Amino acid sequence: MARASDKLIEQLKQEIFSGLLKPGDQLEEADLAVRFNVSRTPIREAIRSLVDNGLLETRSRKGAIVRVLNAKELNDLFEVAAELEGMACRLASERLTQSNKKIIKASLDLCQAAAQVEDIPGYAEANLAFHAAIHEASENDWLTDQLSQIQARINVYRLMPYEIVGRLEKSLVEHQKISEAIFAKDGLSANSLMRDHMMLQGARLPSLLRALV
Amino acid sequence: MARASDKLIEQLKQEIFSGLLKPGDQLEEADLAVRFNVSRTPIREAIRSLVDNGLLETRSRKGAIVRVLNAKELNDLFEVAAELEGMACRLASERLTQSNKKIIKASLDLCQAAAQVEDIPGYAEANLAFHAAIHEASENDWLTDQLSQIQARINVYRLMPYEIVGRLEKSLVEHQKISEAIFAKDGLSANSLMRDHMMLQGARLPSLLRALV
DNA sequence: ATTAATTTATATGGATACATATGGCAACTA
DNA sequence: TAGTTGCCATATGTATCCATATAAATTAAT
């Protein structure tokens, strides 16, 4: 039997990622208890967990709010994300198996299909699949965990992904180059290509931040 | 006023790091409530937090136990630690301020002093200070947080650090080279020197694991 | 009229009471 | 004697209750 708090964590994450709960929104325990038809205890545990996860923050006696990252924090986050994504590419190059290669190729095809018809949400999904495929191929579970946590954090700030015209095409080409480097077991290139790819996204942050304010 | 659960988290961490609570040990909520003279509620929140942190793990209805990392998990952890430590060195090279330089130098002196008299616990402490100084110098708060969490995890498995004779000297020399690279703003060298330094420690893990079993 | 202080309301933090699932032990049967 | 079943004990999971701190509102004083 799943614990109520575990389900709550998932639900609240969904609401945050979907944008239903926006950065700065306050979460009141009593309200949530009514909404989800449980007592305050599991609500509190869920909030606690999300605070540890970094999605919420609390001030003493002032409850939890959806965490707002300022420009520096987002930049720091992106720097680490870029480094770890690059690392995943390097490891994937060194450890690539046939089955992982197939999965990466499949996700790359998804990216291509979505880019061709300019399906923005479709590309966003395929993009995540592509990155996830590389994470898996790194064969480092700790790294994979860290990256999925970071992804989650970043996605909150990606409510309008790829809205810039033409970015889809460029992103796809970068993905293809990264894949080629991995398949050629050229870890060094794969690493730096991915880091550049990530940093380009990071460079788009300032405009994204402005759009949020 | 600090929350009871926050203090508990620190205390439990201490007990885990100090080896008082060994991997595999069970934590019973009622016991802990009596020991720390609080109710089960803050105990549960603390446990919850440590589970999210990865220090404990729970099985349904079976409570929390101190998490045991197997060889692969430890290896994965070290790989990520090495990469991020290297990244910190690179960033420190790029962003070094005079004040950070002083702090790094000071911690390096501590290392030297401890190494000269073969003060093993002293060196362990100075070592942490050295790494922390570099983390700070990276000017990336997210990275610093991640590294301190990873440090915490690794330290559990470092109950007998530097017991290998001669390792102190070698470690010190590596520290000196890393510092020189950072001071020379040679990010590339600093990065790889630190990664090698970390990986050497990781290579000692198998014997460490054997000692634990 | 504006500001400061006091009071009141409300939400969080902690304690306790209650429910339920799991594991062990014992008894009974084959 | 060994295995299975059922009961009981114990620890986790959930609900509710109480205390306290913070914030808001109202009143009084300048």
Side-chain angles (χ1 to χ4, degrees), chain B residues 129-192:
Chain B
F130 175 72
H131 285 269
I134 293 175
H135 302 170
E136 278 301 319
S138 79
E139 306 266 5
N140 184 318
D141 297 332
W142 185 272
L143 176 62
T144 303
D145 280 1
Q146 292 297 311
L147 277 169
S148 74
Q149 282 192 34
I150 291 178
Q151 283 281 11
R153 295 301 311 279
I154 288 177
N155 267 332
V156 181
Y157 294 87
R158 260 199 209 157
L159 303 181
M160 308 170 286
Y162 304 104
E163 81 276 11
I164 295 167
V165 183
R167 175 68 193 146
L168 245 64
E169 275 302 321
K170 287 178 191 159
S171 173
L172 177 65
V173 171
E174 287 163 16
H175 281 191
Q176 285 166 335
K177 283 186 182 166
I178 291 166
S179 304
E180 282 166 24
I182 291 175
F183 296 160
K185 302 198 190 296
D186 181 359
L188 217 64
S189 299
N191 184 331
S192 67

Side-chain angles (χ1 to χ4, degrees), chain A residues 177-211:
Chain A
K177 283 186 182 166
I178 292 166
S179 304
E180 281 166 24
I182 292 175
F183 296 161
K185 302 199 190 294
D186 181 356
L188 217 64
S189 300
N191 185 333
S192 66
L193 283 171
M194 176 58 97
R195 260 175 51 185
D196 293 346
H197 175 62
M198 290 297 292
M199 280 314 203
L200 266 178
Q201 298 215 55
R204 282 167 56 231
L205 276 178
S207 63
L208 208 59
L209 275 177
R210 250 182 277 119

Side-chain angles (χ1 to χ4, degrees), chain A residues 99-140:
Chain A
S99 102
N100 281 329
K101 186 172 179 177
K102 270 183 198 162
I103 296 171
I104 294 174
K105 267 187 178 165
S107 61
L108 194 61
D109 288 344
L110 287 178
C111 288
Q112 188 156 30
Q116 246 163 4
V117 296
E118 301 224 347
D119 174 8
I120 290 176
Y123 189 85
E125 196 186 330
N127 177 57
L128 287 180
F130 176 71
H131 284 269
I134 292 175
H135 302 170
E136 278 301 320
S138 78
E139 306 266 5
N140 183 319

Side-chain angles (χ1 to χ4, degrees), chain A residues 75-92:
Chain A
N75 199 60
D76 287 357
L77 187 56
F78 253 92
E79 266 184 3
V80 176
E83 187 84 12
L84 292 182
E85 290 276 0
M87 177 188 181
C89 285
R90 175 171 61 78
L91 293 179

Side-chain angles (χ1 to χ4, degrees), chain A residues 3-46:
Chain A
R3 282 174 296 200
S5 52
D6 288 339
K7 278 190 288 187
L8 284 170
I9 291 171
E10 287 312 310
Q11 298 228 32
L12 289 174
K13 272 188 183 173
Q14 279 300 333
E15 297 200 355
I16 294 172
F17 295 159
S18 73
L20 203 113
L21 288 170
K22 285 185 283 288
D25 280 1
Q26 175 119 17
L27 287 93
E28 271 180 37
E29 295 175 0
D31 286 357
L32 293 174
V34 172
R35 265 184 56 202
F36 291 110
N37 199 33
V38 290
S39 79
R40 271 180 58 214
T41 305
I43 297 282
R44 289 180 54 179
E45 300 207 341

Side-chain angles (χ1 to χ4, degrees), chain A residues 5 8-10 12-13 16-17 21 25-29 32 42-69 73 149 153, chain B residues 3 5-6 9 13 45-46 48-53 142 145-146 149:
Chain A
S5 52
L8 284 170
I9 291 171
E10 287 312 310
L12 289 174
K13 272 188 183 173
I16 294 172
F17 295 159
L21 288 170
D25 280 1
Q26 175 119 17
L27 287 93
E28 271 180 37
E29 295 175 0
L32 293 174
I43 297 282
R44 289 180 54 179
E45 300 207 341
I47 287 179
R48 184 82 209 190
S49 191
L50 292 173
V51 168
D52 287 335
N53 218 299
L55 280 161
L56 304 179
E57 66 181 338
T58 51
R59 280 170 305 220
S60 192
R61 289 271 171 193
K62 286 186 70 180
I65 62 172
V66 180
R67 181 132 190 251
V68 185
L69 296 187
E73 289 170 319
Q149 282 191 35
R153 296 300 313 279
Chain B
R3 282 175 294 201
S5 52
D6 288 338
I9 291 171
K13 273 187 183 174
E45 299 204 343
R48 186 83 208 188
S49 188
L50 293 173
V51 168
D52 286 338
N53 217 298
W142 185 272
D145 280 1
Q146 292 297 311
Q149 282 192 34

